[in-house]
Amino acid sequence: MKVKIMLTILLAFLILGCTSQTDQTDHDKATTSTHTATQTVEQQKVVLKVFHAGSLTEPMKAFKEAFEKKYPNVEVQTEAAGSAATIRKVTELGRVADVIASADYPLIPKMMYPEYANWTIMFAKNQIVIAYTDSSKYADEINSQNWYQILRRPDVKFGFSNPNDDPCGYRSQMVIQLAELYYNDSTIYDDLVAKHSNLKFVEENGTYVLRMPKSEDINPDTSKLMIRSMEMELIHGIESGEIDYFFIYRSVAQQHGFKYVQLPPQIDLSSTKYADFYSKVKVVLSNGKEVVGKPIVYGITIPKNAEHRDYAEKFIQLIISEEGQKILDQLGQPPIVPARADRIENLPESLRGYVSET
């Protein structure tokens, strides 16, 4: 009897020990699994580099916030510059970006195909306006019909971005030259720009051509003109009172709370209806690239040497999705719905369902 009792007690201890050992093993496995998962997440930390046009600064802030909420392991680093300067960071300076977004979509094929990229998605539109504040001289007088007369006044100073660096810069020149044709006043560009810099349009076979000097040779009269590499840099100038007006995209003027003169659609580069009229002007940049007047369309691509193509595709998905379109619309930048692609056969499979082919 005593032997049976002793065997029973011994068996109970053995069962308890095995159970305890099993529980400890399961705990150890769970701890190891959690630690491994944590390590995996940490290993997946990604820095997504987005180089973009200055006029996309506010939309990119919103896209960054929305994207990082969806993908907490990703940090989106955005970097703004003029569109041409943005692309040159990759093509000339050898920098690596995961996404490139331009305020003038043809710059991507012109400057990046075929070596650095092989497709472009067109995703948003815009228009050129003249921004100002309540402190600007003659702010209570300026309108869409007399703006060039106001800018002519000797005590008025205005600005635009450098055409060699930034599409808003060469588009501003196009708008001023088109104004000569629209308002039937052949001295508007001369009075506003040519007399105060080394910039001048010349008629060549019915097309008005501006051949840009090198940036250091533009030589603006700083008592009349402020020229900066990127249109966003002019914001400080108007806020500080250094200039009274500047040419800018409507979306940027709206995002920063500026008043603005909305120009006639025949000259503001906003409408496909007037594409033929816009094409009467052309700017040849100092690097030899030619830009013909056309409606403003933004483009985006993924460079061939992008480090994080999977997340770059997801980031572009966000921009051209309904969520991204809503963000653009709220910030005064009309989205293209659906977005369009120029070489859909080269487009990543994950993006094809969001676009139509041009």
Side-chain angles (χ1 to χ4, degrees), residues 74-303:
V74 180
E75 177 191 353
V76 179
Q77 288 185 354
T78 60
E79 187 173 314
S83 293
T86 289
I87 293 172
R88 285 199 294 267
K89 290 176 184 178
V90 173
T91 61
E92 295 180 14
L93 301 181
R95 297 184 59 191
V96 175
D98 298 298
V99 176
I100 292 284
S102 168
D104 190 5
Y105 86 87
L107 288 182
I108 294 175
K110 282 182 180 180
M111 298 177 69
M112 300 189 74
Y113 292 5
E115 185 176 355
Y116 300 96
N118 61 5
W119 56 265
T120 306
I121 290 176
M122 290 134 267
F123 68 96
K125 300 178 286 186
N126 223 322
Q127 67 192 91
I128 299 293
V129 300
I130 302 171
Y132 64 100
T133 70
D134 287 329
S135 299
S136 301
K137 294 183 180 70
Y138 313 110
D140 58 341
E141 295 182 37
I142 195 166
N143 58 48
S144 63
Q145 295 302 311
N146 70 4
W147 61 269
Y148 58 94
Q149 296 168 345
I150 297 294
L151 297 188
R152 270 177 172 149
R153 295 179 182 178
D155 57 339
V156 171
K157 184 176 178 180
F158 67 96
F160 49 81
S161 54
N162 185 342
N164 284 327
D165 294 336
D166 184 41
C168 192
Y170 56 70
R171 284 169 171 158
S172 299
Q173 308 313 296
M174 292 173 175
V175 166
I176 299 171
Q177 180 59 40
L178 286 171
E180 288 194 354
L181 305 176
Y182 178 73
Y183 296 105
N184 195 27
D185 184 335
S186 62
T187 64
I188 292 177
Y189 192 87
D190 288 344
D191 290 345
L192 296 185
V193 182
K195 288 181 180 179
H196 306 284
S197 69
N198 286 333
L199 308 183
K200 184 177 180 62
F201 274 92
V202 176
E203 185 180 358
E204 299 178 4
N205 300 318
T207 300
Y208 294 84
V209 182
L210 168 62
R211 298 185 183 279
M212 285 296 302
K214 293 181 179 179
S215 296
E216 59 268 26
D217 296 327
I218 294 175
N219 195 28
D221 173 3
T222 55
S223 67
K224 184 65 177 179
L225 297 179
M226 175 182 282
I227 302 177
R228 295 290 183 267
S229 178
M230 181 172 61
E231 80 277 0
M232 300 297 289
E233 296 177 76
L234 297 164
I235 290 175
H236 175 73
I238 199 166
E239 290 177 339
S240 65
E242 293 180 75
I243 54 176
D244 299 293
Y245 301 92
F246 72 108
F247 287 83
I248 191 64
Y249 297 114
R250 177 181 175 177
S251 63
V252 177
Q254 182 174 320
Q255 290 158 15
H256 290 269
F258 294 128
K259 293 186 172 182
Y260 57 88
V261 177
Q262 190 162 330
L263 302 171
Q266 289 88 339
I267 66 173
D268 73 355
L269 306 180
S270 68
S271 174
T272 56
K273 180 179 179 180
Y274 300 107
D276 288 344
F277 188 65
Y278 300 159
S279 68
K280 292 181 180 293
V281 292
K282 179 170 70 174
V283 177
V284 181
L285 306 179
S286 62
N287 62 6
K289 300 289 185 181
E290 295 186 359
V291 188
V292 177
K294 59 174 67 69
I296 297 169
V297 176
Y298 286 64
I300 195 165
T301 193
I302 299 173

Side-chain angles (χ1 to χ4, degrees), residues 29-43:
K29 286 181 179 179
T31 302
T32 302
S33 177
T34 302
H35 180 65
T36 302
T38 301
Q39 281 185 320
T40 301
V41 170
E42 289 176 352
Q43 289 170 356

Side-chain angles (χ1 to χ4, degrees), residues 44-48 64 67-68 71-76 311:
Q44 290 178 347
K45 284 289 185 183
V46 169
V47 176
L48 192 73
K64 168 184 167 69
F67 193 78
E68 289 178 348
Y71 303 99
N73 63 308
V74 180
E75 177 191 353
V76 179
Y311 284 109

